[in-house]
Amino acid sequence: MTRKHSKYESGCPVAYALDIFGDRWGLLVIRDMAVKGARTYGELQNGWEGISTNILAQRLKQLEEAGILSKSKDPENGRSYIYALTQKGRDLAPVLADIALWSAKYNKAGHAMTGFSDKVRADRDGVITRIRAGKLP
């Protein structure tokens, strides 16, 4: 008899988180929404890293199914959608803040972007509070 395994069966909290948002593109979509205020497919497509259209569509669907973001019709253009982080997605603010601080400490590349990490370093709790409230940091 073959038994189907639940994707979250191990119970490990790290494995659960990685299954939900842990790949490069999923977390970057969350970052672009939380930190840059991206709300449309086009804005997400034009992010810093150049995500391909098929990967972006896949990650948006995955994050929506996981309850990290919501999708609604654009009231100004019925053929487009507006994406927004849900409370579950905004509750990832401390994760984003800590990744930014960790990266600022260890990424010694001369072209490293430090704007977000500088904001976090100056006022971590304020940045987290603003993101959780759906505001830009």
Side-chain angles (χ1 to χ4, degrees):
M1 178 187 225
T2 306
R3 182 175 165 213
K4 291 188 177 186
H5 294 281
S6 166
K7 157 175 180 172
Y8 310 115
E9 190 170 299
S10 78
C12 173
V14 174
Y16 171 80
L18 292 174
D19 282 341
I20 300 295
F21 62 81
D23 76 311
R24 170 185 174 87
W25 297 115
L27 201 51
L28 291 174
V29 166
I30 293 166
R31 179 220 46 204
D32 283 355
M33 294 176 77
V35 176
K36 293 175 41 180
R39 298 173 24 127
T40 66
Y41 190 91
E43 290 170 345
L44 291 163
Q45 181 68 50
N46 293 328
W48 294 316
E49 281 78 17
I51 187 171
S52 67
T53 57
N54 61 323
I55 297 295
L56 177 56
Q58 184 181 41
R59 290 311 179 274
L60 289 170
K61 182 179 179 186
Q62 177 184 348
L63 292 170
E64 182 182 14
E65 288 173 353
I68 300 294
L69 61 84
S70 63
K71 175 174 102 171
S72 59
K73 286 278 190 187
D74 184 341
E76 296 176 17
N77 179 355
R79 296 178 295 164
S80 298
Y81 292 95
I82 300 293
Y83 296 92
L85 290 173
T86 62
Q87 188 60 55
K88 184 176 179 180
R90 292 190 307 270
D91 280 345
L92 289 168
V95 173
L96 294 173
D98 287 342
I99 288 173
L101 291 175
W102 181 87
S103 294
K105 181 176 180 179
Y106 293 106
N107 184 357
K108 302 305 178 196
H111 63 281
M113 296 177 169
T114 61
F116 180 60
S117 54
D118 290 344
K119 287 180 184 180
V120 173
R121 195 177 298 111
D123 183 16
R124 181 183 184 277
D125 291 340
V127 166
I128 290 169
T129 299
R130 287 189 292 281
I131 291 173
R132 281 187 164 155
K135 299 176 182 172
L136 292 178

